[in-house]
Amino acid sequence: MSALTIDQKNTKTAALAFLGALAMLGMGYAAVPLYDLFCRVTGFGGTTQQATESDAEIAERIANSSGAKQISIRFDASTARDVPWTFRPEQVTDTVRIGQRDMAFYIARNDGDVPITGTATFNVEPEQTGIYFNKIQCFCFTEQTLQPGEEVRMPVLYYIDPAIEQDENAKGVEQITLSYTFHKSADAVEKPAS
């Protein structure tokens, strides 16, 4: 074998190794948004769905025509350690008719001495109900900024998809827990107290 042939093979191997490393790096960056998309589509890990008013109207018509049952919803709230807020549901549990829109409220108060911008993460338990829990409007869709001592009442407009009653893994569920945790926004910059 000539030296040129070995050099060509080495160059080809190095190029393939570089392309492989580049592809793995790209997959690393794509993993988070792809996983997020997967969770939103399938409800995996208790990820709820985002719905529109027209989706809610369709679900309500289905529920009205089928005589949907009622289900208990439990509301849960917490904050990350670095968020000095009091955060709680206004009502701990509620009973709703499957397919019917309902509204829950959460109360948040900034107990700190600087403005804080937070983002709420959320999930539902049991996990198999995530695909049926639809939020039409939610404070979790946007960042929330609270001034020192400020208290706000934040709504969540939601419904449970009537298809839950046909799912063998979810139709026997009697209570769904909707949990939120507030974290400091990654973009938030605190100003030191004067």
Side-chain angles (χ1 to χ4, degrees), residues 82-85 110 112 114-118 144-148 184 188 190:
D82 62 344
V83 179
W85 288 6
N110 181 352
V114 295
I116 296 186
T117 300
Q144 305 295 320
T145 301
L146 297 182
Q147 299 301 315
K184 272 190 185 174
E190 281 188 25

Side-chain angles (χ1 to χ4, degrees), residues 99-173:
Q100 186 173 356
R101 281 174 277 199
D102 200 36
M103 187 175 289
F105 289 91
Y106 282 77
I107 309 295
R109 185 181 68 241
N110 181 352
D111 298 324
D113 54 2
V114 295
I116 296 186
T117 300
T119 303
T121 58
F122 54 86
N123 75 327
V124 297
E125 288 290 332
E127 290 181 5
Q128 70 267 27
T129 62
I131 195 165
Y132 303 110
F133 200 104
N134 293 273
K135 290 189 278 184
I136 302 163
Q137 295 175 354
C138 182
F139 60 88
C140 61
F141 296 158
T142 59
E143 292 181 339
Q144 305 295 320
T145 301
L146 297 182
Q147 299 301 315
E150 181 181 10
E151 182 173 292
V152 293
R153 188 172 181 241
M154 301 179 293
V156 179
L157 181 60
Y158 69 94
Y159 69 93
I160 308 303
D161 189 328
I164 195 171
E165 295 186 291
Q166 275 67 55
D167 185 335
E168 289 299 319
N169 294 321
K171 73 179 183 181
V173 172

Side-chain angles (χ1 to χ4, degrees), residues 42-114:
T42 65
F44 183 76
T47 302
T48 62
Q49 306 301 301
Q50 189 170 348
T52 64
E53 280 289 339
S54 61
D55 295 332
E57 290 168 6
I58 292 167
E60 197 159 4
R61 279 197 300 272
I62 292 169
N64 288 338
S65 68
S66 67
K69 68 176 189 170
Q70 292 191 329
I71 191 165
S72 174
I73 308 296
R74 183 178 170 278
F75 304 101
D76 184 48
S78 64
T79 59
R81 290 183 186 196
D82 62 344
V83 179
W85 288 6
T86 299
F87 177 53
R88 63 179 175 77
E90 189 173 80
Q91 182 177 341
V92 177
T93 60
D94 193 12
T95 301
V96 299
R97 195 160 151 254
I98 292 175
Q100 186 173 356
R101 281 174 277 199
D102 200 36
M103 187 175 289
F105 289 91
Y106 282 77
I107 309 295
R109 185 181 68 241
N110 181 352
D111 298 324
D113 54 2
V114 295

Side-chain angles (χ1 to χ4, degrees), residues 7-25:
D7 285 344
Q8 287 175 336
K9 286 182 179 181
N10 287 343
T11 301
K12 184 177 179 182
T13 301
L16 287 174
F18 176 74
L19 289 175
L22 197 59
M24 290 184 350
L25 180 66

